[in-house]
């Protein structure tokens, strides 16, 4: 059993038919759209079979071989040959996962902004579903990331208080880019200046020192592997009133909403593998 295989049986070697392959068999148009890499494990699981998710060059080839009608996302380098700055060694000439990336970095503003962008995309999909009622629309996730808590102590509160959206709204830049700008050895002065300029937050000298020293990661380097980011998130906690339980994927149950044929089954607790059966049944009913 491997947890790295994509589109395979639990033995990690036997390919299993994906929902997109079933749709192709029925002559239904297919598409994969993501704000993350189109060869990431999540989109790949709809169209490819590889023993290890890191084999993104094979994922790219298989997505094209299957003839997915619409492919929109990042990672052009896996579709380009090395001669054109890509990573393909066979020379082929070819042409909202970011919520997860922001939550890995414990960045509240970027997580919320990417979620709002995803919400807009769901709105467009819902409009389409209403005009095409034989379409099954499912909105879900493959996991939660970060364990974001929308509550915390402010600097002067005695009780827990809710998230400060007005403070979060002032963020101009993602924490990922701020930390990139700070580099490997930031000084407390540089940290204070960057946090003020990008996030409109005036942190104290002690807090800036904690970020510059990356104290949180030093306390628990195995669980906090993103340099500087978790120390920054920790310091920002009383200003934004957002806390984080983790820097990686959590075991939280997820929502699965839907509209259209079969969506009435999206109730109560379900194992996520049930979604495949519900989609397959809708595919059968639509033709
Ligand atoms: Zn992730």
């Amino acid at each position: 059993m491997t947890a790295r295989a994509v589109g395979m049986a639990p033995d990690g070697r036997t390919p299993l038919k994906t929902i997109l392959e079933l749709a192709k068999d029925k002559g239904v148009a297919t598409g994969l759209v993501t704000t993350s890499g189109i060869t990431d494990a999540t989109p790949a699981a709809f169209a490819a079979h590889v023993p290890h998710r890191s084999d993104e060059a094979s994922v790219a080839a298989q997505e094209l071989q299957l003839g997915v009608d619409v492919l929109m996302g990042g990672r052009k380098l896996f579709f380009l040959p090395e001669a054109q700055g890509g990573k393909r060694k066979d020379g082929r000439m070819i042409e909202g996962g970011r919520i997860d990336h922001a939550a890995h970095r414990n960045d509240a503003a970027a997580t919320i902004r990417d979620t709002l962008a995803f919400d807009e995309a769901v709105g467009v999909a819902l409009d389409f579903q209403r005009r095409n009622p034989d379409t099954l629309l499912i909105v879900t996730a493959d996991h939660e990331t970060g364990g974001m808590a929308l509550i915390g102590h402010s600097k002067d509160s005695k009780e827990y208080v809710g998230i400060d959206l007005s403070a979060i709204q002032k963020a101009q830049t993602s924490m990922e880019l701020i930390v990139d700008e700070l580099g490997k050895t930031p000084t407390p002065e540089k940290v204070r200046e960057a946090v003020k300029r990008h996030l409109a937050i005036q942190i104290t000298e002690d807090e800036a020192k904690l970020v510059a020293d990356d104290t949180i990661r030093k306390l628990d380097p195995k669980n906090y592997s993103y340099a500087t980011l978790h120390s920054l998130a920790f310091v920002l906690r009383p200003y934004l009133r957002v806390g984080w339980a983790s820097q990686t994927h959590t075991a939280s149950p997820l929502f699965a909403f839907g509209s259209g044929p079969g969506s009435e089954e999206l109730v109560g607790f379900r194992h996520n593998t049930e979604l495949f059966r519900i989609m397959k049944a809708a595919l059968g009913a639509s033709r």
Side-chain angles (χ1 to χ4, degrees):
M1 168 91 185
T2 170
R4 301 278 168 192
V6 170
M8 299 287 195
D11 65 11
R13 290 189 304 274
T14 313
L16 294 175
K17 205 150 198 172
T18 71
I19 196 71
L20 244 67
E21 287 168 329
L22 289 171
K24 272 274 159 193
D25 289 350
K26 291 200 160 261
V28 176
T30 55
L32 286 173
V33 180
T34 177
T35 57
S36 172
I38 197 71
T39 53
D40 267 352
T42 306
F46 286 84
H49 309 274
V50 287
H52 200 286
R53 56 181 289 169
S54 65
D55 186 4
E56 296 186 49
S58 293
V59 169
Q62 290 180 28
E63 284 173 346
L64 291 164
Q65 196 183 6
L66 178 62
V68 182
D69 300 286
V70 178
L71 283 173
M72 288 170 74
R75 300 290 156 81
K76 193 166 80 175
L77 74 171
F78 288 111
F79 292 86
L80 287 174
E82 283 181 331
Q84 288 186 23
K87 281 193 173 179
R88 289 211 69 84
K89 296 196 186 292
D90 58 7
R92 286 202 198 191
M93 296 305 298
I94 307 160
E95 199 62 344
R98 293 291 289 164
I99 298 171
D100 173 57
H101 297 179
H104 273 290
R105 289 164 176 81
N106 295 170
D107 184 340
T111 302
I112 292 169
R113 284 202 177 142
D114 276 323
T115 305
L116 290 173
F118 179 67
D119 184 63
E120 268 183 51
V122 170
V124 172
L126 253 181
D127 280 347
F128 178 88
Q129 198 282 328
R130 286 190 186 118
R131 282 183 274 113
N132 301 273
D134 66 336
T135 303
L136 168 61
L137 170 68
I138 297 178
V139 180
T140 190
D142 47 357
H143 55 77
E144 195 274 342
T145 303
M148 190 186 194
L150 306 182
I151 196 166
H153 275 282
S154 70
K155 287 269 168 179
D156 46 16
S157 65
K158 291 198 174 68
E159 308 277 334
Y160 278 120
V161 278
I163 185 171
D164 188 345
L165 284 172
S166 63
I168 290 168
Q169 246 169 355
K170 290 181 185 140
Q172 298 294 320
T173 311
S174 74
M175 281 169 38
E176 186 180 359
L177 291 180
I178 296 171
V179 165
D180 274 357
E181 181 190 296
L182 286 172
K184 283 203 169 77
T185 49
T187 61
E189 295 71 36
K190 266 176 81 177
V191 170
R192 271 191 108 188
E193 189 279 322
V195 169
K196 183 151 195 286
R197 181 159 43 88
H198 291 293
L199 306 178
I201 292 171
Q202 182 81 62
I203 60 172
T204 67
E205 279 172 35
D206 285 347
E207 288 165 342
K209 193 168 176 316
L210 192 147
V211 176
D213 291 346
D214 206 359
T215 307
I216 298 298
R217 194 162 68 122
K218 278 183 188 150
L219 288 172
D220 190 0
K222 283 193 178 141
N223 273 312
Y224 292 102
S225 55
Y226 292 93
T228 318
L229 283 157
H230 306 290
S231 300
L232 181 56
F234 180 83
V235 158
L236 293 176
R237 192 174 176 147
Y239 296 95
L240 308 177
R241 292 171 339 233
V242 171
W244 298 88
S246 159
Q247 57 105 38
T248 187
H249 303 166
T250 69
S252 298
L254 301 162
F255 291 105
F257 306 105
S259 188
S263 63
E264 63 282 354
E265 289 209 58
L266 299 171
V267 289
F269 277 92
R270 296 274 190 181
H271 196 276
N272 60 4
T273 55
E274 284 276 292
L275 292 177
F276 181 79
R277 185 185 56 74
I278 293 168
M279 289 190 286
K280 197 175 159 191
L283 205 52
S286 71
R287 296 280 143 146

